[in-house]
Amino acid sequence: MPQQSSVDPVCVTPAEKPPLVFLGPTLPQAEAAALLPASVRPPARRGDIYRAVAEGYTTLVLIDGEFHGSPSVWQREIADALAEGTVVHGASSMGAIRAAELHSFGMIGHGKIFEWYRDGAIVADDEVALGYGPPELGYPALSEPLVNIRATLQAATPDVIAPEERDQLIEFIQGLYFPERSFAALIERSPAAEWPAERRHRLAQFLPQGRIDQKREDAVVALTAVATNMFKRRPPKGEADMERRWRRERLVAEGLIPEGKLNTAKIARRAGMSESEEEALRRELSVIFFVALWGHEHDIVPTSADLARQRACFPAAAGVPVPRLNGLLAKRALADAAVRAFLAANGTTDPETAARTIVRAWASDNGIERAGLQGEALVDWVIEASPNHFGYTWSFGTEMIETLWLLGRVAGFWPQEVA
């Protein structure tokens, strides 16, 4: 009879997989490998996080992700990975965007670009977008990301250009479609083309050696941090617990509400809202989400003027620091820009009708159907179902309280609403 092993098989666990990095044009794979022993896959698409977790990866590093041609990685799949105890890092590109959206849920952000998105200093997804070549050639960059141009022009201020000139150049480059953005365009097509020859030459001389590749720098920061093994896997959370997190974690992290169980209905009553008004607000906020989502999917980018219009709608929030206020208003600004673009394209004048038509268009674009429902009835169902029904991380409680905060109707009644 074979001798029984002295090791209890139940206690034997397979070796943990190395980190998995989603990487494309931001950093060459050879440089990434020198910083962190890891598995590397192309830029993430929708579903890649789910697949990685199912394959047993417990540490994910999201740097690059698909923006065009393929559906982008969902916030929901990252939140689900976090709920299962997976450690998820983000930086530089799509990773910075998702980390800014989900840092309150436990996603770990790295670098300046993450901080810019988190703090509302930048809001548009196309800030990190660029055109690039095929993976067989190492994803060669065919354009310059706006975040790199921002960082470079900031470094040129005030020794090479004045702050107002920097802002003028950034406004110009923002107006270009992202594959057209380059430092050559900045010199040849921007207001700099009209500058005196000496000033123009000084900026042109600065750019080759003064260029800052902020996306690359942030990727190096992220990979270096992961390599130090500072971030341990957390115990998985149950589904019900994750649902509670979606309702209140971001509010606690932002200091908008205290710790404790939150009663959103009671808050609505104390804010002077009737049940019907609360339900109307729920529908309004759901519409804003879907319209903004449609705008994002159609490459509509809100401008500083869009944000200014939204700030004017909430005078009670005038004392809020501008970066934080911009972060709260970003979705509304995108929805406003989407409605205006739709009105201009279709020659209509009613924003409310346009918003409902956009919701119907979003449902059609994404193959959303409901037996027996068409037209306006389908639109009503989508709005009532709310974004989280379709897999998006969205909470009416969160959206309602942020709206009340913008309206200046939050202070003074928190203690009674926390059990």
Side-chain angles (χ1 to χ4, degrees):
M1 182 180 223
Q3 184 177 0
Q4 185 174 3
S5 170
S6 60
V7 179
D8 183 352
V10 175
C11 298
V12 176
T13 58
E16 190 169 283
K17 284 178 174 287
L20 175 60
V21 180
F22 293 97
L23 184 64
T26 292
L27 187 71
Q29 286 196 15
E31 291 189 38
L35 295 167
L36 174 69
S39 298
V40 178
R41 290 185 182 174
R45 303 179 180 189
R46 185 168 299 173
D48 279 349
I49 302 298
Y50 281 135
R51 284 184 279 271
V53 173
E55 292 170 23
Y57 287 96
T58 58
T59 299
L60 308 179
V61 185
L62 177 59
I63 294 177
D64 290 311
E66 293 282 355
F67 285 91
H68 298 274
S70 300
S72 299
V73 59
W74 270 0
Q75 296 92 335
R76 179 64 178 260
E77 59 187 294
I78 297 173
D80 285 343
L82 294 169
E84 294 190 25
T86 305
V87 180
V88 186
H89 302 260
S92 301
S93 192
M94 177 62 78
I97 294 172
R98 291 294 180 257
E101 295 165 338
L102 298 170
H103 70 97
S104 295
F105 299 106
M107 187 173 177
I108 303 166
H110 303 272
K112 286 186 178 181
I113 298 170
F114 156 69
E115 293 172 356
W116 289 343
Y117 276 117
R118 181 197 62 194
D119 298 339
I122 59 176
V123 296
D125 287 3
D126 78 325
E127 290 267 353
V128 296
L130 78 160
Y132 56 85
E136 296 81 7
L137 299 179
Y139 301 101
L142 304 178
S143 64
E144 192 72 36
L146 180 52
V147 288
N148 288 357
I149 296 175
R150 282 185 184 277
T152 302
L153 293 179
Q154 183 62 44
T157 310
D159 294 339
V160 179
I161 55 175
E164 58 270 19
E165 292 172 333
R166 174 200 62 208
D167 295 343
Q168 192 178 39
L169 295 177
I170 290 176
E171 184 175 359
F172 164 78
I173 213 76
Q174 273 183 303
L176 298 181
Y177 187 39
F178 75 86
E180 301 174 3
R181 293 170 179 161
S182 67
F183 286 112
L186 199 67
I187 296 295
E188 299 165 5
R189 297 168 53 191
S190 78
E194 306 299 324
W195 292 356
E198 181 183 348
R199 286 172 56 213
R200 207 164 149 259
H201 179 66
R202 189 165 67 245
L203 176 60
Q205 275 194 318
F206 170 84
L207 290 177
Q209 73 274 12
R211 173 181 177 266
I212 295 177
D213 189 343
Q214 194 62 57
K215 290 182 69 172
R216 179 191 178 280
E217 290 187 7
D218 287 4
V220 170
V221 168
L223 295 174
T224 302
V226 176
T228 63
N229 200 30
M230 294 168 54
F231 307 97
K232 304 296 184 181
R233 190 168 190 241
R234 297 176 302 277
K237 292 181 175 293
E239 183 175 343
D241 184 54
M242 195 62 194
E243 290 292 336
R244 288 193 292 272
R245 281 173 62 96
W246 286 339
R247 289 181 61 83
R248 55 182 295 282
E249 181 79 7
R250 178 155 56 95
L251 298 172
V252 173
E254 294 293 333
L256 298 180
I257 66 169
E259 294 282 355
K261 184 178 179 181
L262 188 67
N263 188 326
T264 54
K266 189 181 290 185
I267 287 176
R269 299 297 90 76
R270 286 187 61 83
M273 297 170 58
S274 66
E275 288 187 21
S276 60
E277 289 171 330
E278 180 186 353
E279 182 55 33
L281 180 61
R282 182 191 299 272
R283 291 174 57 83
E284 176 189 342
L285 295 174
S286 182
V287 169
I288 288 172
F289 181 94
F290 286 118
V291 172
L293 184 60
W294 179 88
H296 168 68
E297 292 174 351
H298 286 76
D299 300 322
I300 294 171
V301 179
T303 65
S304 55
D306 293 318
L307 278 169
R309 275 191 291 271
Q310 289 302 312
R311 284 197 297 271
C313 294
F314 298 97
V320 179
V322 170
R324 188 175 187 186
L325 181 58
N326 285 352
L328 292 177
L329 295 177
K331 189 185 302 178
R332 292 174 177 271
L334 176 54
D336 181 49
V339 167
R340 287 190 297 102
F342 185 89
L343 292 173
N346 293 276
T348 54
T349 58
D350 179 17
E352 184 175 349
T353 300
R356 289 182 60 85
T357 306
I358 288 173
V359 174
R360 186 192 307 175
W362 174 83
S364 176
D365 290 346
N366 289 273
I368 304 299
E369 298 177 349
R370 182 73 170 177
L373 298 181
Q374 294 180 340
E376 292 300 302
L378 179 63
V379 172
D380 285 332
W381 175 76
V382 169
I383 294 170
E384 291 289 346
S386 78
N388 54 2
H389 177 84
F390 301 98
Y392 297 97
T393 303
W394 187 87
S395 162
F396 170 62
T398 298
E399 302 292 334
M400 180 189 73
I401 294 167
E402 288 185 346
T403 300
L404 293 175
W405 196 52
L406 290 171
L407 292 170
R409 296 166 65 180
V410 164
F413 61 83
W414 289 123
Q416 296 90 337
E417 274 55 71
V418 180

